[in-house]
Amino acid sequence: MISNRPITVAQMKAGERGRVIQITGGHGLVRRLEAMGIRPGKQITKVSSMLMRGPVTIQVNEAQLALGFGVARRILVELESK
Amino acid sequence: MKILLMGNPNVGKSAFFSRLTGVRVIVSNYPGTTVEFTKGYLKLGEEMAEVIDVPGTYTLEPTSKAEEVATEMLKDGDLVIDVVDATNLERNLFLTMQLLERDIPVIVALNVWDDTKHRGIDINVKKLEQLLGVPVVPTVAVTGEGMKELVSRIHEAASPPVSHRTRDERWAAVGRIVEQVQTVTHRHHTWLEHLGDASVKPFPGIPIAVLVLLTSFMIIRFIGESLIVYISGPLFNNLWAPLMMRLSEFLGSGGFLHDILVGKLISGEIDFTQSFGILTTGLFIPFGVVLPYVLAFYLVLGFLEDLGYLPRLAVLLDTLMHRLGMHGYAIIPTLLGLGCNVPGILATRILESKRERFIVATLISIAVPCAALQAMVIGLVGGEGWHYVAIVYGTLFVVWIILGLILNLTVKGFSPELLIEIPPYRLPSPRILASKLWMRILGFLKEAIPIVMLGMFVITILYALNVFDYIANFAAPVVSGLLGLPREATAALVIGFLRKDMAVGMLGTLSLSANQLVIGSVVLAMFFPCIASFVVLARELRLKGMLAATGIMIVASLVVGSLLNLIL
Ligand SMILES: Nc1nc2c(ncn2[C@@H]2O[C@H](COP(=O)(O)OP(=O)(O)OP(=O)(O)O)[C@@H](O)[C@H]2O)c(=O)[nH]1
Ligand SMILES: [Mg+2]
């Protein structure tokens, strides 16, 4: 067992899966993300990211969400070992 | 009784609303289709209940203008039909919980029920009903399945005694419910899902986007041209023209009434592009030239909307659009603006910040030509050679970019980041596609016909009274000096305020050179918006924003027109 250091969603690679441990950001952003289904404890999978700090697409439950790079950097996840 | 249809974005509320009330509304496969509320009626026993289609919202603590509208509506509703996407139970139930905490009866429609099976989702409806304490009915809004049962159970809608909870408590409650009612079995990706994932990756997403846009453009042109060459052209030339010639003879081939109805005869004949009578050019522009392109455009747009492609395009374009002061989702209002600026400007409501709405609405009204204008430009300028049409489009595109860069640097505030849900690809339903196309065409005709007719009348009168001549004297230094157009073109610029297609048509009567046609078309596209877009612009941006946008418009169109005049 390797204990993973938390990384941000922006740093995840396409296809990787992780569990959200924290969202660093203003109250508004936390609430907005939460209402869309992203909150601590949720398992997410990264689908893709665009070049040049473009948006990141992730899968949460059955939904896909696109997040700006800045938002993706504020979501900390713990990678799941395969 | 006032019944509100509420739920997360893109769960099928509008499709549901159409089914319940028979009122057509736009249904598209992306979150944020509905930005205003629409009313309809439903017969419940003896009573006629008012049903309202509300913009989608993730939470009752609004984060955008459309969500604010939704939350406001809740205050004066009597009952809520909470439309829930059954394939996304957990997130949807969060809003359900908030609704249950309010003092209003709720009934839950478990929509998109048809998709649960192939997604391996199994939901115990009876159990869910028990746990929520309100009726739950599985439905399929696109086919109407479950609608009858839902309507028959509306009177059972309840407001169970739930105390106000904190957000964490709410999520915990949702979690407990989902755990008890839902089982998800693992399954493999379908080909549509693979395609969905591929189109948000830089590769092959970007090549796919280029292909989609080029193909769309070619299909629109092919359908539009075919309709003109094989249908509207022959109808006007072979059927309508002889009829109008008879009318012309009947009216004595001249005189005031003749000029109003038939217009001027060009070497003894009716010329639909030159005569400018209410029944000749007044019908030819909207039906003969513009309608074919409007139809073609909305057919293709409707297909892309219902497939679910637009949010993916937003992801691909996000980085570029941030440079222009918008985020990627602004591509949706912009594309709608290519059909008609009015729905485009209205759709800016899906954007979160005031600054972004201002930038996007201003750019639409200046640099995004509507289908009516485009159809006329293609018809008129295309006759001189395709590269001239390309110059018009190219110039407008460059203006869109440069103006966006400038606005991004000068307008105060910041534009928020992209944060959207990407819906699954769905094969468009022909019924919804047809219904949407019909609505948009009807909308175009209702708006265009009266104004074009009125316009023709006004033009004839103003010419008869020499008013244009008077205005032209004033405007000559600008119109001739800066833009290099004959002073008569002033009349077209003035009429552009009524409708742009008609104004381009007027340019066609002035025997301009190809370069002058290009300049005239570009200036008409950018200059003052037509009256319909002016009204929404004023409503959406308020007086101050509208004045600012108009100022930018006038300056930009004159600068660009003069530059073109120097270069060409
Ligand atoms: N398979 C399936 N698709 C559905 C169903 N209901 C709606 N849709 C599709 O889902 C998409 C969204 O439908 P809309 O009615 O526009 O959704 P809405 O909730 O009004 O969306 P907003 O106005 O954006 O909040 C459309 O493409 C519909 O065709 C359903 O029961 N089953
Ligand atoms: Mg809707």
Side-chain angles (χ1 to χ4, degrees), chain B residues 152-276:
Chain B
S152 72
R153 294 188 65 187
I154 284 183
H155 68 275
E156 291 175 41
S159 176
V162 185
S163 57
H164 195 81
R165 285 173 287 216
T166 66
R167 284 171 13 241
D168 285 338
E169 287 165 359
R170 226 176 267 148
W171 279 117
V174 168
R176 280 194 301 274
I177 294 176
V178 171
E179 201 168 295
Q180 291 180 67
V181 303
Q182 179 179 262
T183 43
V184 182
T185 35
H186 183 74
R187 37 117 220 165
H188 288 287
H189 260 33
T190 62
W191 67 272
L192 272 177
E193 284 166 331
H194 278 299
L195 192 62
D197 289 358
S199 35
V200 288
K201 293 193 167 113
F203 186 84
I206 292 171
I208 290 178
V210 172
L211 198 74
V212 167
L213 293 179
L214 281 180
T215 317
S216 302
F217 185 79
M218 270 157 36
I219 294 177
I220 292 171
R221 171 146 167 75
F222 175 76
I223 298 179
E225 275 313 294
S226 305
L227 288 174
I228 290 176
V229 172
Y230 296 108
I231 300 181
S232 70
L235 277 179
F236 270 95
N237 291 328
N238 306 338
L239 280 173
W240 196 241
L243 229 80
M244 284 298 106
M245 272 317 283
R246 282 226 207 127
L247 179 68
S248 166
E249 278 161 34
F250 177 75
L251 293 173
S253 305
F256 185 67
L257 194 61
H258 180 276
D259 282 357
I260 295 261
L261 292 179
V262 181
K264 282 188 281 294
L265 294 182
I266 312 292
S267 44
E269 294 286 332
I270 286 169
D271 182 335
F272 285 117
T273 62
Q274 311 273 332
S275 292
F276 271 77

Side-chain angles (χ1 to χ4, degrees), chain B residues 371-391:
Chain B
L373 180 101
Q374 293 182 65
M376 292 299 287
V377 167
I378 290 173
L380 191 65
V381 185
E384 305 285 334
W386 275 98
H387 57 289
Y388 290 111
V389 179
I391 298 178

Side-chain angles (χ1 to χ4, degrees), chain A residues 16-82:
Chain A
E16 280 183 340
R17 220 155 51 157
R19 194 168 289 279
V20 177
I21 50 178
Q22 197 193 346
I23 297 167
T24 60
H27 195 57
L29 179 70
V30 172
R31 271 222 287 227
R32 180 100 200 276
L33 285 173
E34 189 187 282
M36 294 178 86
I38 307 173
R39 60 200 149 83
K42 287 301 309 182
Q43 194 186 54
I44 62 176
T45 310
K46 181 144 168 185
V47 177
S48 71
S49 51
M50 290 299 293
L51 314 165
M52 304 200 308
R53 306 177 146 225
V56 166
T57 313
I58 61 171
Q59 177 97 26
V60 192
N61 290 348
E62 289 295 306
Q64 270 190 11
L65 302 172
L67 321 167
F69 190 81
V71 177
R73 264 202 314 204
R74 289 159 186 255
I75 305 173
L76 283 176
V77 294
E78 198 166 46
L79 283 186
E80 269 176 21
S81 34
K82 294 199 178 127

Side-chain angles (χ1 to χ4, degrees), chain B residues 2-24:
Chain B
K2 215 178 219 173
I3 301 178
L4 306 176
L5 276 169
M6 295 191 70
N8 281 187
N10 207 44
V11 297
K13 297 176 297 299
S14 297
F16 207 94
F17 172 81
S18 287
R19 282 275 170 191
L20 281 183
T21 62
V23 175
R24 285 177 205 267

